Amino acid sequence: MVLKKLGVLFFTIVLVFSLAACSNSDEASNAAVDKEESATLTVWIHPYVSEDLKAEQAKVFDQMAESFKKEYPNVKINYEEIPWANREQKILTALGANQGPDIFYIIPDMMAQFADKGVLTPITDLLGEDWGKEDFSTSSLEGSSYKGELYGLPILQESATYIYNKDILAEVGGDPNNLPKTWDEFNALAEKAAELGYYARNFEGANTPNGTINPIIWQAGGEVINKEGKAAINEPEAVKAFEQVNDWYKKGWIPKDSISALDEHFNLFIEGKMLAVWGSGATVNSLNERNFENYVIGTPIKEQESTTFATTGLFTIPENSEHKKIAAEFIKTMTNTENSIAFNEVTNYIPPRESASKLYEDDEDMKKFAELLPSAKPGVIHPVARTILPKVQAELQAMFEGKKTPQQAADDAAKVINDEINK
């Protein structure tokens, strides 16, 4: 029902935007920026931090506005915070009613979906020549682009990898200075951990595939959707990933509730019942808050390719904004080096800018996560990326329940993905 409603919203938005998109976009991209122009920019943000840090977050956004007003004194910045829950539908509903913001935050799979429907403004031309392209990580720009066009500037990144319990690692003969780099090396430790009554790792099947099966598919040399825009999740390389996680499940190396768990497995790691947890800087922050210091951060393991998932958060401009050029200038201010450092220091994410990397020069943990970015993937960049998430989860569940073989689960996942693509 939710997806049907989103489809109706998209149809309405496309009709509205298509009437004015060409003339408005051309006019916006060709016009010079008038620094004396009066305008109010409405910017939708989210609660990127816990409640006790909300005041610090507010200071960061206020500083962005204050620094911008030095150059654009007649522009007012109006921030509106919206919750994470149901944000996709809220944004689409507002844009469909022509009441949306001038700038809003988005992640790569939503970006591709919105861009494909003409909801977003391409900002490649709006940015001009000097916006610091070479300073942004390649993975962050990949996560901000669709069909050769840039649709926003990144403000944060977050990468993921294995975090090991050092005591259990020692029990199974692992070396914290020489952690697993391949599937075989990890599985050798996992087998020993299982023999001693531990789980090998977490695998929350109800979570997004970017946190479960997708990185394993990429490590096997596979893809979910190929460059031609067709499902590749049932190609031999990707099927290896299904076989791997199914093997973990049958052997009891991942918990039995991996079929439907969402976030429960982190507690197993905290309780000393799990060798490794797949996590990010936020995971490490949670460990430190609980005074759990007995961990070591590993690298992504590989079958064919050493890679992982790294989400990107970016600020974009809707096609129906009346202030596209000024909005693009403010996005440049929001994501400049100074503001990138300030934002990520408060939120504990990774700055996408090389010039902001000094933020974590004295933080060895965050440096390790930042070092993963060059080889990381931003997810599945395709208009159906979000709609296929529950469908892939359902196939994994059927496989774990023994109703389908890994090949059957992958084949059926490919079918539903192609069905979505062909709609």
Side-chain angles (χ1 to χ4, degrees), residues 48-298:
Y48 304 94
V49 297
S50 57
E51 194 64 34
D52 58 328
L53 290 175
K54 291 292 286 292
E56 294 301 314
Q57 174 180 294
K59 288 180 182 178
V60 170
F61 282 113
D62 288 344
Q63 175 56 37
M64 292 176 182
E66 290 171 9
S67 62
F68 186 70
K69 285 183 70 68
K70 292 177 182 178
E71 203 166 353
Y72 296 88
N74 298 321
V75 175
K76 179 182 178 181
I77 307 299
N78 178 33
Y79 293 112
E80 295 180 6
E81 185 175 287
I82 65 171
W84 293 109
N86 301 317
R87 66 189 186 280
E88 183 177 359
Q89 186 165 3
K90 180 178 179 63
I91 292 169
L92 290 173
T93 300
L95 295 180
N98 205 31
Q99 296 177 348
D102 297 286
I103 296 170
F104 64 95
Y105 176 90
I106 205 168
I107 55 177
D109 53 9
M110 289 174 65
M111 179 274 301
Q113 184 185 33
F114 286 18
D116 190 67
K117 300 298 184 181
V119 175
L120 299 182
T121 297
I123 66 170
T124 309
D125 294 335
L126 293 174
L127 293 176
E129 296 295 325
D130 186 22
W131 56 274
K133 177 179 180 180
E134 67 288 342
D135 195 31
F136 287 95
S137 68
T138 300
S139 58
S140 73
L141 294 182
E142 287 178 358
S144 306
S145 303
Y146 178 66
K147 291 187 175 180
E149 285 281 4
L150 192 68
Y151 281 92
L153 287 183
I155 185 69
L156 67 84
Q157 286 194 277
E158 183 179 45
S159 60
T161 189
Y162 285 113
I163 304 168
Y164 294 85
N165 180 307
K166 291 173 72 174
D167 284 341
I168 299 177
L169 188 67
E171 278 192 71
V172 299
D175 181 355
N177 297 311
N178 186 26
L179 294 167
K181 298 180 179 63
T182 67
W183 286 11
D184 286 344
E185 291 174 357
F186 179 82
N187 288 342
L189 294 182
E191 184 173 18
K192 294 177 182 178
E195 290 173 354
L196 294 173
Y198 300 112
Y199 293 114
R201 61 156 289 176
N202 60 320
F203 194 93
E204 289 95 344
N207 210 329
T208 169
N210 284 328
T212 56
I213 190 70
N214 285 358
I216 303 172
I217 290 174
W218 301 329
Q219 290 166 3
E223 293 289 346
V224 177
I225 298 176
N226 61 26
K227 294 180 181 178
E228 288 70 43
K230 298 296 181 182
I233 199 169
N234 63 334
E235 295 294 324
E237 294 83 0
V239 173
K240 284 184 180 180
F242 280 80
E243 293 171 342
Q244 174 68 95
V245 298
N246 193 50
D247 190 51
W248 288 343
Y249 187 75
K250 288 193 300 183
K251 291 178 176 177
W253 294 2
I254 56 178
K256 283 298 180 185
D257 68 348
S258 293
I259 293 175
S260 58
L262 183 57
D263 295 314
E264 296 89 339
H265 295 174
F266 178 69
N267 288 331
L268 293 174
F269 183 77
I270 286 285
E271 293 164 5
K273 299 177 181 178
M274 185 173 285
L275 170 64
V277 64
W278 179 261
S280 63
T283 309
V284 168
N285 190 47
S286 294
L287 291 174
N288 291 332
E289 287 177 351
R290 301 188 189 198
N291 297 315
F292 188 100
E293 301 178 353
N294 198 35
Y295 65 86
V296 59
I297 299 170

Side-chain angles (χ1 to χ4, degrees), residues 17-52:
F17 288 166
S18 63
L19 298 175
C22 293
S23 59
N24 286 351
S25 293
D26 291 343
E27 182 180 346
S29 61
N30 293 328
V33 183
D34 181 2
K35 294 188 176 182
E36 299 301 320
E37 181 179 344
S38 296
T40 297
L41 294 180
T42 299
V43 183
W44 280 7
I45 59 174
H46 297 286
Y48 304 94
V49 297
S50 57
E51 194 64 34
D52 58 328

Side-chain angles (χ1 to χ4, degrees), residues 135-136 335-338 340-341 351-359:
D135 195 31
F136 287 95
T335 59
N336 66 23
T337 301
E338 178 183 2
S340 184
I341 290 174
R353 282 184 175 271
E354 174 63 28
S355 59
S357 61
K358 64 181 180 181
L359 171 61

